[in-house]
Amino acid sequence: MKNLVKFFLENYKLTLILSLMMVVFGVVGLFKLNAESYPMVNFAMVQIETRYDGATAKDVETKITKPIEDKIREVSGLKDVKSVSKSGLSRIFVRVDMDNEDEEEVLDELQKAVKSVNDLPADLRDDPDYMEINSEEFPAIEIAIVGSNEGRARDKMVDLLQEELEDSKRVKDARLVGFRKRQFNVRLDEKKLIQNHIGLEEVLMKIRSRNIDIPGGELKKEGVQKLIRIEGKVEDTKELENLVVRSNFSGKKVLLKDIAEVVDGEEDAQVLSSYNGKEATLVIVNKKAGSDTLALVDEVNVILERFREQYKGQFEISVYNNEANRVKNKLEILSGNAVSGLILVVVFLFLFLPGKVGIVASMSLPLAVLATIGFMPIFGMNLDAITILALVIALGMLVDNSVVIAENFVRLQQEEDMEPIPAALESVKQLWLPITSTAFTTIAAFLPMLVTKGIMGQFIKWIPIVVTISLLISLVESFFLLPMRLRFAGTVKEKAKEVKKDWFQKYIDKFENFMRSAVKHRYLV
């Protein structure tokens, strides 16, 4: 140990470069870190949602929920299955036993089981929606658009906004609440149907055959391959009105407008939403896993400003939930604690250590913090509530080693008349073992948090990891980098009479007398 410390003391230029590299390493790591609200946690939970419009709660339970549940229960490794069946909607929550099973494998089997359900109603519009619940993919910003929806004006604007938002590489999806899709309503005239001897099924068949979008194969010619697609999507009411329902060889034909009224409208409302008591459409923007919340929200705000300018006077666009504000608050807590901690450390070191020694000892705090931040992206961490908490916990311990070594450095010069280099070397030699023991006992107190299982274990595991990294870096910094700085702190030699004049010396004398008395009467103590 002595030879290693001596190497760093003598090769001070190398030690200085290593110190600068720690700073650069920390700054680079800081820019790589994503700002999040919570750590990346796999909840091992799945939500399966199925819409069956027009069905009663009993029908939904019998025809949707039970068949899916029966198939799900065939998968082993599940913790529990809960379901809610209500009018028009089935919602099933599944939790995987993540403590005893490989959750990725179980979730894969679960998804296959949901896809293999084949006894669902034939008139079900959409397949069951399978969604894994992940802490990384959460609403980053929620927006309310208030304004008139006459002629679907507001919904058309929201549709454009949704497209713009989902073009962002950081956005997983933009979910709409209170939005009604465009819908062509065909209101048949019963008398005209009877007059023309046309049945309902015939009309439905003609409308279905008109509104198609199917692949038609491929065409190869002279080494060129072209894909064929048949598109017959209805764009407006005129196309539907002029749809031929029936015709004969004489040229007589019955158009849809002859037996029905076609209205360009909207689907019936499933959810009604409001903002500050006014009818509104809500846009919930979910972030992609691994995306930076602050960067995403900044990108969304640019899009919103453009839409505010474009639709000024027509619609009011308001943000009612902004996750970026919470993330910024947490980062301010960390930076505020770091700055105030550094200031307090420097102030107290100036009070108890002479001049330059206090300054060089206080430099250990930013160096250790930056080096810890540099390692965080390597371990897959983000700046979130848990890692920030761990850094705040570690802040109070990172400078302890340096203070003890620096104080011993001063004592050796004052009491034993040593030069700076031998004093720095001797200070580390005398204290490295007790300081290392202290650091490892602290680490040992935090490490049991790693054995916590379940979701809570995934959340808190970063606390012992961050504390361990920071304390180990603090040890390395105080043993090998600090002595180099102490070497250039100058000679701190004072005669015994001058030492007695120090304002704190009288308290030291009293404390020493008390300790002598305590040791003398050790059995009583």
Side-chain angles (χ1 to χ4, degrees):
M1 184 69 180
K2 183 178 178 180
N3 292 332
L4 197 57
V5 176
K6 188 177 180 181
F7 171 81
F8 282 98
L9 261 171
E10 291 175 348
N11 298 278
Y12 64 89
K13 290 181 179 178
L14 172 65
T15 311
L16 181 62
I17 291 171
L18 290 174
S19 301
L20 292 173
M21 286 177 66
M22 284 178 71
V23 174
V24 174
F25 179 60
V27 172
V28 171
L30 186 61
F31 281 103
K32 285 183 179 179
L33 287 173
N34 286 334
E36 306 285 358
S37 290
Y38 310 102
M40 295 180 287
V41 174
N42 182 8
F43 289 124
M45 289 177 64
V46 171
Q47 175 183 291
I48 301 150
E49 191 174 277
T50 313
R51 290 198 170 275
Y52 190 27
D53 296 334
T56 63
K58 188 68 178 174
D59 287 338
V60 169
E61 183 183 15
T62 306
K63 297 180 179 180
I64 305 290
T65 305
K66 196 168 185 315
I68 296 176
E69 275 191 346
D70 290 343
K71 205 71 177 177
I72 285 172
R73 293 184 192 280
E74 294 177 7
V75 179
S76 60
L78 302 183
K79 192 170 187 177
D80 54 50
V81 180
K82 298 177 183 178
S83 64
V84 176
S85 301
K86 56 185 181 181
S87 179
L89 179 67
S90 165
R91 189 175 284 134
I92 303 171
F93 294 96
V94 184
R95 285 199 302 168
V96 176
D97 185 5
M98 60 193 305
D99 296 335
N100 303 308
E101 302 286 343
D102 181 353
E103 64 263 21
E104 293 297 330
E105 187 177 329
V106 176
L107 289 172
D108 188 48
E109 291 297 320
L110 187 62
Q111 189 170 11
K112 289 177 182 176
V114 173
K115 286 183 178 179
S116 66
V117 180
N118 52 19
D119 52 349
L120 296 177
D123 57 341
L124 194 66
R125 287 187 180 182
D126 301 308
D127 292 332
D129 180 30
Y130 176 94
M131 183 178 71
E132 291 184 20
I133 299 173
N134 195 321
S135 70
E136 294 179 89
E137 299 166 351
F138 61 89
I141 186 169
E142 298 181 44
I143 309 151
I145 292 89
V146 178
S148 172
N149 199 29
E150 188 176 346
R152 292 191 71 252
R154 187 179 71 239
D155 284 343
K156 287 176 182 176
M157 177 267 196
V158 171
D159 197 27
L160 292 173
L161 177 61
Q162 183 188 33
E163 285 184 17
E164 285 264 359
L165 293 171
E166 290 184 341
D167 282 342
S168 170
K169 62 182 180 181
R170 295 185 175 93
V171 175
K172 181 191 176 189
D173 58 48
R175 187 162 54 87
L176 306 180
V177 179
F179 175 82
R180 291 196 250 177
K181 292 180 181 177
R182 186 185 186 190
Q183 180 174 285
F184 292 105
N185 298 313
V186 180
R187 296 169 182 167
L188 296 169
D189 188 319
E190 187 180 1
K191 291 181 180 179
K192 291 180 179 178
L193 285 173
I194 294 170
Q195 280 178 0
N196 290 280
H197 306 288
I198 296 173
L200 180 61
E201 281 300 321
E202 186 178 354
V203 177
L204 289 173
M205 185 181 69
K206 290 293 183 181
I207 293 174
R208 287 196 194 103
S209 62
R210 172 63 182 83
N211 197 46
I212 57 171
D213 182 8
I214 56 173
E218 57 185 38
L219 183 66
K220 292 182 180 178
K221 184 180 180 182
E222 297 177 358
V224 179
Q225 179 177 308
K226 294 182 179 180
L227 297 177
I228 301 170
R229 191 168 193 85
I230 301 168
E231 291 188 358
K233 288 284 185 183
V234 176
E235 297 293 336
D236 52 43
T237 54
K238 286 186 178 179
E239 290 184 15
L240 268 180
E241 286 174 345
N242 294 321
L243 174 66
V244 178
V245 178
R246 182 182 290 176
S247 63
N248 57 25
F249 293 109
S250 63
K252 186 179 179 182
K253 54 189 176 182
V254 178
L255 304 179
L256 186 60
K257 64 182 179 183
D258 297 331
I259 56 173
E261 178 190 4
V262 181
V263 179
D264 189 349
E266 58 194 15
E267 64 181 6
D268 294 334
Q270 301 295 325
V271 177
L272 296 176
S273 55
S274 64
Y275 177 73
N276 285 341
K278 298 177 183 177
E279 187 182 338
T281 304
L282 309 181
V283 184
I284 301 171
V285 182
N286 295 311
K287 65 179 284 296
K288 278 183 182 174
S291 298
D292 188 287
T293 303
L294 297 180
L296 184 149
V297 171
D298 288 342
E299 195 173 326
V300 170
N301 283 330
V302 171
I303 296 171
L304 293 182
E305 282 302 317
R306 191 167 72 249
F307 271 77
R308 284 190 184 106
E309 190 65 31
Q310 186 177 346
Y311 294 94
K312 193 174 182 179
Q314 285 182 267
F315 304 105
E316 178 190 338
I317 302 175
S318 304
V319 175
Y320 65 90
N321 183 27
N322 190 344
E323 195 62 35
N325 292 337
R326 298 186 185 93
V327 175
K328 285 177 183 175
N329 289 338
K330 294 184 180 86
L331 294 177
E332 286 171 6
I333 289 169
L334 174 63
S335 58
N337 274 276
V339 172
S340 59
L342 182 59
I343 292 170
L344 287 171
V345 164
V346 172
V347 169
F348 282 108
L349 287 176
F350 268 117
L351 290 175
F352 298 107
L353 294 174
K356 294 178 183 177
V357 177
I359 295 174
V360 298
S362 65
M363 289 172 65
S364 296
L365 178 62
L367 281 173
V369 170
L370 283 170
T372 303
I373 290 173
F375 276 104
M376 285 170 66
I378 297 172
F379 285 86
M381 288 183 254
N382 295 317
L383 272 179
D384 53 58
I386 302 299
T387 54
I388 288 171
L389 172 65
L391 283 169
V392 171
I393 291 170
L395 280 176
M397 300 181 279
L398 294 182
V399 79
D400 293 353
N401 304 334
S402 299
V403 171
V404 174
I405 291 173
E407 193 280 332
N408 196 40
F409 168 79
V410 173
R411 184 190 64 80
L412 290 170
Q413 288 196 73
Q414 290 177 342
E415 296 181 6
E416 301 186 19
D417 201 31
M418 283 189 175
E419 292 299 319
I421 294 178
L425 188 62
E426 186 64 22
S427 182
V428 175
K429 179 186 173 184
Q430 290 178 357
L431 296 173
W432 77 270
L433 188 58
I435 286 176
T436 304
S437 301
T438 304
F440 275 94
T441 52
T442 306
I443 290 170
F446 281 93
L447 284 181
M449 297 174 78
L450 288 174
V451 302
T452 307
K453 293 186 176 182
I455 295 171
M456 181 58 70
Q458 292 189 60
F459 267 106
I460 66 173
K461 72 176 181 180
W462 300 117
I463 295 177
I465 292 173
V466 170
V467 170
T468 300
I469 293 170
S470 61
L471 287 178
L472 291 176
I473 290 170
S474 176
L475 287 177
V476 172
E477 196 282 330
S478 59
F479 292 159
F480 305 122
L481 304 185
L482 175 64
M484 179 272 295
R485 299 199 300 276
L486 290 173
R487 169 185 173 175
F488 294 101
T491 304
V492 188
K493 292 182 182 179
E494 297 177 2
K495 302 300 179 185
K497 291 181 180 178
E498 294 174 345
V499 172
K500 291 291 182 184
K501 294 178 184 177
D502 190 276
W503 68 274
F504 194 63
Q505 188 61 38
K506 59 182 180 182
Y507 297 106
I508 294 176
D509 294 340
K510 289 178 180 178
F511 181 73
E512 286 178 350
N513 292 333
F514 169 74
M515 289 303 297
R516 286 192 189 97
S517 176
V519 172
K520 186 177 179 181
H521 304 91
R522 54 191 174 278
Y523 298 112
L524 178 62
V525 172

